[in-house]
Amino acid sequence: MKCFVGLDISSTKLEVCIMTNDIEMKVLFSATFGNDIIGASEIKEQVLRFNDIYHFERIVIGMEATSLYSFHPAMFFYEDSELKQLRVEVMIEQPAKIKKYREAFEENKNDTLDAFYIADYFRIERFTKSYLKEEKYNALQHLTRTRLQLIEQLVRTKQHFIENIYYKCNTLSIELKNHQLSTNIWSATIMTLMVEDYTLDELASLPLEKFVELIQKLGRGKFKAPDKLAKVIQAAITGSYRLSHVQQDSVNTVLSLLAREIRSLEKMIKEIDRAIEDMVEVLPEYQCLTSVPGIGKVFAAGIIAEIGQIDRFKDHPQVAKYAGLNWKENQSGNTSSQNTSLVKRGNRYLRYYLVEAVDSVRRHNVEYAEFYKKKDEVPKHKHKRAVVLTARKLVRLVDVLLRNHQPYTPPRRFMEDN
């Protein structure tokens, strides 16, 4: 006889249903506990008590992946020494799969029933084994996921900054881009000119020599052609609309706040990058992934943190599916559609780090550059499509390197070309 424990988890409660897989599908226990160590310990004691009675040949504790809320219960049952002696399997499943299973039954929805259907879902044993990651990977994951969240916040803040720069000097970004200057809108000098107490009219009326001196002072003498930059900025100011005094004050206030937020976020990202690098260097997988040209410490850390121990996955297609780098099949009769959409139900953090890593790899690796080039020969979404397909190719390499504990070696023909 086998035992299946279904947990429906919220921030405060653990709804539990314990059932067997015999013909009667007997529900042994159903109750509600607090989502804390006391509640989890009560559930553990019930599992041990029923095992003493029935001597189960297999015990599975299953729950939905609710990220923050399921983390502590999952780790509690996974790390408990008494449950380990019984070889208890702790499984986490995608909520969408359990939801689809439950929708096949027309019943009322409540937490007690949810726990029952979670247990029943695992009872039919059609789930994919999902072993929990070891503590070191979870620790690294806190850093890499926070880094991505900071990056996303920085992107949003920069977008707001650009919008307000347009209000203040609407031709500046265009002029900088058209003259192909190495300086862009995110230059500390440009941001200071737009944020500090300089009006556009004051900057426009400055003699060129004085403006060049100001730019060199703000840029600490790093500009190779400060006179050209000064002319471009003054031309942008001259060609831009002027705001009323009241509107100008409000835009300046917003720009100042956004500039401070950008600088603060960039500082935090640098700090978290250092913490990631310190932690990832002690992991054995680090040497494997960073041996691939283009994969640096941060990208390697993000991939390692999300994959964890590679033995959690049967093969590279399973890793790709976990990352959401797989495509829906669209086939009917003898026809198969070539226009299929990417399945984005997987781990968005792993997908992000794989895509970002391969976008760097293709700039350093001939094999991946050639593959990328073949895949961007389409009329729409060229780069996006090509980089995602190339990321799927990278998954195979990552799987091989991590599974075999080996550094990257380029294929012979690419070694000969070099």
Side-chain angles (χ1 to χ4, degrees), residues 5-10 13-18 31 33 40 43 61-64 73-74 77 90 98 111 114-116 118-119 122:
V5 182
L7 292 178
D8 184 58
I9 302 172
S10 68
K13 294 190 300 181
L14 294 174
E15 296 284 345
V16 60
C17 177
I18 303 176
F33 299 100
I43 294 172
I61 299 178
M63 64 197 78
E64 293 179 329
F77 295 118
V90 180
I98 295 177
D111 292 338
D114 286 344
F116 170 82
I118 291 171
F122 285 95

Side-chain angles (χ1 to χ4, degrees), residues 351-366:
R351 185 166 62 250
Y352 166 82
Y353 280 110
L354 285 169
V355 170
E356 291 296 310
V358 86
D359 200 27
S360 175
V361 168
R362 71 181 179 87
R363 295 184 175 92
H364 298 81
N365 187 300
V366 177

Side-chain angles (χ1 to χ4, degrees), residues 2-7 47 57-63 74 77-80 83-92 122 125 127-132:
K2 300 177 184 178
C3 173
F4 296 90
V5 182
L7 292 178
V47 172
E57 60 184 271
R58 186 187 188 190
I59 301 174
V60 176
I61 299 178
M63 64 197 78
F77 295 118
Y78 177 71
E79 295 177 345
D80 185 83
L83 295 179
K84 277 187 175 181
Q85 289 180 355
L86 299 178
R87 297 182 179 179
V88 171
E89 301 169 62
V90 180
M91 299 293 170
I92 299 178
F122 285 95
E125 300 189 55
F127 58 91
T128 303
K129 288 188 177 182
S130 54
Y131 301 107
L132 295 181

